[in-house]
């Protein structure tokens, strides 16, 4: 099983590149992964919300993981995202990835109309963990199933295979509380795009968010500056990245990130 220590730093969620027939573009995905790796990122995530993971079939997700892993060649960790509405649907995607070299799974709570109670959330992640030997990261992003700090801590405590949480939705307060109260050895990864500098300074273990895909080199530089306590440089990068975030945030975020990559020569 992957050491939690390897899942640190800038772990951008790759966008999903489609061709004109709306099929996965193998060449486009390869070019993007190479670009991200050349930018110095510490890992790659696929199938997240920036990658339109909620729209992908099990076969499409499997194809993307295979294409990505062929490029990364185990040089950096690979995380596969799963965004589904039921335990059964999640396990179907896990089965599709079973023989592929992924280092962890990033899995949302169910995102249907009805919010499950805390006991059901714990049981959901427990059942998922029985179907895989991969570490699981909770992706806390679903607005109407937004897990409280208490629930996240309880899941991490009671389901050993859940190695951490990716905290999203602009919620820096919950991120800070998770960092303070997390069980020993568990990861807290930020997805608070406009406050990456603050997240890193608080001690977040890394970032999986759209901004590092749109501007990977700058986000790696920001991570390095914070690790080196170079806060003057970190703050200057923060201000530039905040301007970029203001420009790309919105309902068309995946498309906007794709445009940022295109502007940098990654088509």
């Amino acid at each position: 099983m992957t050491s939690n220590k390897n899942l640190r730093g800038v772990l951008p969620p790759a966008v999903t590149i489609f061709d004109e027939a709306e099929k996965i573009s193998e060449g486009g995905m390869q070019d993007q992964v190479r670009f991200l790796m050349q930018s110095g990122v510490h890992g790659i995530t696929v199938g997240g919300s920036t990658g339109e993971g909620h729209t992908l079939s099990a076969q499409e997700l499997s194809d993307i993981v295979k294409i990505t892993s062929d490029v990364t060649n185990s040089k950096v960790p690979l995380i596969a995202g799963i965004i589904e509405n039921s335990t059964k649907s999640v396990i179907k995607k896990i089965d599709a990835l079973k023989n592929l070299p992924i280092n962890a799974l990033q899995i949302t709570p169910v995102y249907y109309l009805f919010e499950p109670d805390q006991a059901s959330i714990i049981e959901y992640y427990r059942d998922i963990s029985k179907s895989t030997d991969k570490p699981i990261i909770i992706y806390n992003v679903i607005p109407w199933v937004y897990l409280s700090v208490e629930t996240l801590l309880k899941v991490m405590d009671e389901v050993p295979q859940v190695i951490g949480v990716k905290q999203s939705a602009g919620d820096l307060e919950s991120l800070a509380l998770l960092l303070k109260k997390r069980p020993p050895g568990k990861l807290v990864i930020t997805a608070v795009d406009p406050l990456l500098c603050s997240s890193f300074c608080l001690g977040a273990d890394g970032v999986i968010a759209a901004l590092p895909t749109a501007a990977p080199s700058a986000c790696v530089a920001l991570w390095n500056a914070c690790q080196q306590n170079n806060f003057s440089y970190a703050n200057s990068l923060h201000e530039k990245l905040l301007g970029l975030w203001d420009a790309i945030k919105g309902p068309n975020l995946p498309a906007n990130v794709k445009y940022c990559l295109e502007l940098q020569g990654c088509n």
Side-chain angles (χ1 to χ4, degrees):
M1 188 177 289
T2 299
S3 167
N4 293 4
K5 294 179 180 178
N6 294 332
L7 298 173
R8 281 181 51 84
V10 180
L11 313 163
V15 295
T16 301
I17 309 295
F18 299 95
D19 62 21
E20 292 183 358
E22 297 188 2
K23 304 287 186 183
I24 304 298
S25 170
E26 181 173 356
M29 290 299 303
Q30 290 171 336
D31 288 347
Q32 176 192 191
V33 175
R34 290 192 191 101
F35 171 75
L36 293 172
M37 291 184 68
Q38 289 165 3
S39 300
V41 302
H42 306 99
I44 304 285
T45 305
V46 298
S49 48
T50 302
E52 301 167 87
H54 61 290
T55 71
L56 300 174
S57 68
Q59 184 61 57
E60 287 173 327
L61 180 61
S62 176
D63 290 345
I64 291 168
V65 169
K66 177 65 167 61
I67 293 166
T68 303
S69 66
D70 285 347
V71 178
T72 59
N73 195 28
S74 300
K75 294 176 182 175
V76 296
L78 174 57
I79 300 170
I82 297 179
I83 306 172
E84 284 293 342
N85 267 327
S86 70
T87 305
K88 182 179 179 180
S89 299
V90 171
I91 291 173
K92 181 179 180 180
K93 283 190 172 177
I94 288 174
D95 287 343
L97 303 175
K98 190 162 288 184
N99 297 317
L100 295 172
I102 58 174
N103 299 94
L105 296 164
Q106 172 189 273
I107 304 178
T108 62
V110 292
Y111 64 97
Y112 192 56
L113 296 175
F114 307 107
E115 181 180 359
D117 59 22
Q118 186 182 86
S120 298
I121 289 290
I122 295 169
E123 193 63 25
Y124 168 72
Y125 282 103
R126 183 177 285 119
D127 286 346
I128 290 168
S129 72
K130 293 174 183 175
S131 68
T132 180
D133 61 354
K134 302 298 183 183
I136 295 170
I137 299 168
I138 301 170
Y139 183 12
N140 193 25
V141 69
I142 307 302
W144 54 95
V145 191
Y146 192 67
L147 305 185
S148 67
V149 170
E150 178 190 3
T151 296
L152 292 166
L153 293 172
K154 199 166 181 60
V155 176
M156 286 191 282
D157 189 55
E158 295 192 15
V159 186
Q161 215 159 317
V162 173
I163 62 166
V165 57
K166 170 183 163 182
Q167 188 67 9
S168 192
D171 192 353
L172 196 64
E173 179 181 2
S174 292
L175 180 83
L177 288 171
L178 283 166
L179 286 164
K180 180 180 179 180
K181 298 180 177 182
R182 61 179 165 176
K186 300 296 184 177
L187 300 172
V188 178
I189 296 171
T190 184
V192 186
D193 291 83
L195 295 172
L196 296 185
C197 184
S198 300
S199 299
F200 296 161
C201 290
L202 286 169
D205 294 293
V207 54
I208 304 173
L211 197 51
T213 309
S217 294
C219 289
V220 169
L222 175 61
W223 169 262
N224 290 337
C226 291
Q227 302 309 301
Q228 297 161 6
N229 297 329
N230 187 351
F231 299 122
S232 176
Y233 181 44
N235 191 59
S236 69
L237 288 168
H238 159 72
E239 290 182 359
K240 293 180 175 67
L241 287 166
L242 183 59
L244 176 60
W245 177 248
D246 284 341
I248 67 172
K249 67 182 179 182
N252 292 322
L253 181 59
N256 293 340
V257 173
K258 290 178 184 182
Y259 184 56
C260 289
L261 290 169
E262 183 180 335
L263 290 175
Q264 295 170 87
C266 181
N267 297 314

